[in-house]
Amino acid sequence: MAGTVLIAAVMFVALVGMIICSKKQKASPAAQPIAIGLLVVVIVCGVLMMYKTGIFGDTNNFMEIENRYYASQGNVVGKYVNSNFAGKKVLVLMDNGYENSPRTKILLDALNEGAGGNLDIVADTLTLAKGPNQGNELQGFEMPLFEVMTAKDFDAALEKHKDAGVIISTIGLPRDVKAMRLWTKKDRPNLILISAADMRGYDALIKTGMVSAIVAVGPDAKFTEDAPPKDIQKTFDIRYVLIDKKNVEQYSGMFR
């Protein structure tokens, strides 16, 4: 990450210098070769940035590294489900367009791999009662579900999969979480959150057993361009934490 930041900084300074020299070419002819030299620096930095971010298909590129970190969440949760809720059908709730997202397969494969291939998994999304993000469109941009879904929408998605004993939500919980009918069900499924963002007050949900576990970016997370370790658990530990009843007090600060 530091390398990319340094390249970006050099590129920015060179770009500013090039613009200044270009404006002074008429008054000072010597500024022209300097401007050309700085242009070369900008181009070189741009090429390096593209290599760094994997645009040229480097096998150790940014997206490959990020996908390995992302997959580590699924692997660890798969092990957790297999250890605590073996034999139960798993419903994974995902965002709009999940069918066409490469990350869907990455996560589902990692979940199953973590569970030793023993999971019965189905993926689905929510259908908003108000229609597709009604009243929340922004110049054709579709708002993510966690911004617009309601308790009613979430409950409706679960009703479609009554046979699921474990719910893994990658879209968090609705803002009106307390209104969910899920909490009143006698035999409610076990709920796990992956990539949880706003977790204020969720420690109470864990302590009362409403939520079995939450995977979130840890307080000591490290983001680096280096390839993650081959050990999946070590890869997970670099960025994420899995919080359940056993360690919820340890991470109490993440719920404030």
Side-chain angles (χ1 to χ4, degrees):
M1 185 67 71
T4 302
V5 173
L6 179 60
I7 293 172
V10 172
M11 185 176 178
F12 176 76
V13 172
L15 181 61
V16 172
M18 183 187 73
I19 294 173
I20 294 174
C21 289
S22 296
K23 291 182 177 180
K24 293 184 176 181
Q25 285 185 56
K26 291 183 179 180
S28 177
Q32 184 176 13
I34 297 176
I36 294 174
L38 291 173
L39 174 61
V40 172
V41 173
V42 171
I43 293 173
V44 171
C45 287
V47 172
L48 288 174
M49 285 284 286
M50 286 189 283
Y51 270 111
K52 281 284 188 179
T53 54
I55 292 177
F56 290 148
D58 187 350
T59 56
N60 194 31
N61 61 48
F62 175 78
M63 283 308 300
E64 180 186 353
I65 290 173
E66 288 304 305
N67 284 338
R68 287 174 64 183
Y69 279 110
Y70 180 71
S72 71
Q73 298 177 90
N75 192 282
V76 169
V77 170
K79 290 180 181 177
Y80 185 86
V81 170
N82 196 46
S83 297
N84 295 278
F85 317 117
K88 293 186 177 182
K89 183 175 180 178
V90 178
L91 168 64
V92 183
L93 290 177
M94 312 192 84
D95 214 331
N96 296 313
Y98 75 94
E99 304 96 331
N100 301 317
S101 172
R103 283 200 157 191
T104 297
K105 179 173 171 49
I106 289 172
L107 182 65
L108 297 184
D109 286 350
L111 281 166
N112 205 32
E113 180 183 347
N118 297 323
L119 294 186
D120 178 10
I121 307 176
V122 61
D124 203 353
T125 189
L126 275 65
T127 300
L128 302 181
K130 293 182 179 180
N133 295 346
Q134 184 176 338
N136 293 284
E137 298 87 353
L138 180 61
Q139 296 181 349
F141 175 74
E142 191 172 16
M143 296 286 284
L145 287 175
F146 75 86
E147 290 283 2
V148 294
M149 66 180 177
T150 66
K152 184 177 180 180
D153 299 326
F154 202 94
D155 284 326
L158 302 191
E159 281 296 310
K160 291 169 56 181
H161 302 275
K162 293 182 179 180
D163 58 339
V166 178
I167 310 299
I168 298 176
S169 174
T170 66
I171 54 177
L173 294 174
R175 296 184 187 279
D176 56 342
V177 59
K178 293 182 179 179
M180 289 170 57
R181 294 197 312 271
L182 171 66
W183 311 133
T184 64
K185 290 189 175 182
K186 183 178 180 180
D187 298 318
R188 63 175 178 270
N190 301 100
L191 180 60
I192 298 173
L193 308 181
I194 290 183
S195 300
D198 185 358
M199 303 189 298
R200 287 173 294 180
Y202 282 14
D203 51 338
L205 296 178
I206 293 177
K207 292 176 182 178
T208 56
M210 300 295 189
V211 172
S212 298
I214 296 177
V215 171
V217 174
D220 300 316
K222 297 178 181 178
F223 292 84
T224 173
E225 292 177 351
D226 298 331
K230 292 183 179 180
D231 186 294
I232 297 177
Q233 183 64 54
K234 290 182 179 179
T235 296
F236 178 88
D237 292 340
I238 290 174
R239 286 196 183 176
Y240 309 106
V241 291
L242 187 150
I243 307 171
D244 61 7
K245 280 187 176 181
K246 297 177 182 178
N247 61 358
V248 65
E249 292 296 344
Q250 178 184 346
Y251 296 105
S252 58
M254 295 178 63
F255 299 97
R256 303 293 179 261

